[in-house]
Amino acid sequence: MNNLLDLFVTFAKVGVMTFGGGYAMLPILQREIVDHKHWATEEEVMDYFAIGQCTPGIIAINTATFIGQKNKGISGGIFATLGMVFPSLVIISLLAGIIEVFSHLAWVQHAFAGIRVCVCILILNAVTKLFKKAVVDTSTFMIFCIVALGSLFTPVSPVVFVILAAVAGIVLQNVGGKKKC
């Protein structure tokens, strides 16, 4: 039970610090799950994010579920998911009634603008860390460039890019005889 409670509390801590969506939680998730708890490697977290992007639901919740399930089975997945959801549920419930009253105030609008900028930086930091771990050779750099350009200039679903990148990785691994990416 202590391990399940630890999952709940850890993901509640990640959940309470996650402003701006699933990608914004990546730096906090890496610190807590990879560095402090050692429940997953950075590569596993990247894989969970990729799978979480392709599956229905919110990336943060999907990732918590994957990590919890990996560590403590189905009950671990449930406790990690509940931990991730709990802070948002409480905060939203408390703020829902009062945000409408204050949302028109200039200082509230400026505060939200500042938070959005901060979230962009947090996401950029997470992307930089992921880039360094994921783009390790010419093949992975080419996959990165193709997906980046495709996602910027086409309306193709991210799911399609993930599937195509997976196929490209498999083909390049088997055809080129390269080391594991």
Side-chain angles (χ1 to χ4, degrees), residues 35-49:
D35 298 337
H36 294 160
K37 300 291 185 175
H38 307 288
W39 288 339
T41 65
E42 286 190 29
E43 290 79 14
E44 288 173 322
V45 171
M46 287 189 313
D47 292 343
Y48 296 147
F49 254 66

Side-chain angles (χ1 to χ4, degrees):
M1 189 64 179
N2 280 344
N3 293 332
L4 294 174
L5 185 60
D6 194 23
L7 276 167
F8 180 88
V9 169
T10 300
F11 279 99
K13 189 182 340 178
V14 172
V16 80
M17 298 305 295
T18 302
F19 296 95
Y23 293 111
M25 77 161 202
L26 191 53
I28 300 163
L29 188 69
Q30 285 175 322
R31 185 183 68 236
E32 289 298 319
I33 305 309
V34 175
D35 298 337
H36 294 160
K37 300 291 185 175
H38 307 288
W39 288 339
T41 65
E42 286 190 29
E43 290 79 14
E44 288 173 322
V45 171
M46 287 189 313
D47 292 343
Y48 296 147
F49 254 66
I51 294 167
Q53 180 74 36
C54 296
T55 53
I58 301 167
I59 296 170
I61 304 301
N62 294 346
T63 303
T65 306
F66 291 139
I67 293 170
Q69 192 278 330
K70 175 191 176 239
N71 286 281
K72 291 294 169 193
I74 292 172
S75 58
I78 293 169
F79 272 74
T81 301
L82 291 174
M84 183 64 80
V85 172
F86 183 73
S88 296
L89 184 64
V90 171
I91 291 169
I92 289 170
S93 296
L94 294 173
L95 291 179
I98 62 172
I99 196 73
E100 188 66 32
V101 175
F102 297 107
S103 64
H104 69 283
L105 297 175
W107 67 270
V108 172
Q109 293 171 359
H110 294 304
F112 283 134
I115 290 170
R116 284 191 298 271
V117 171
C118 180
V119 167
C120 289
I121 296 301
L122 292 174
I123 293 170
L124 180 64
N125 286 339
V127 168
T128 302
K129 284 183 181 180
L130 289 173
F131 180 86
K132 289 176 183 176
K133 290 285 186 179
V135 181
V136 295
D137 58 19
T138 305
S139 298
T140 54
F141 181 72
M142 291 304 298
I143 293 170
F144 169 82
C145 290
I146 291 167
V147 171
L149 291 172
S151 66
L152 287 171
F153 297 111
T154 67
V156 175
S157 167
V159 174
V160 173
F161 287 118
V162 171
I163 292 169
L164 291 175
V167 170
I170 291 168
V171 169
L172 291 171
Q173 174 73 27
N174 290 323
V175 171
K178 304 252 181 195
K179 65 178 180 154
K180 184 182 173 192
C181 295

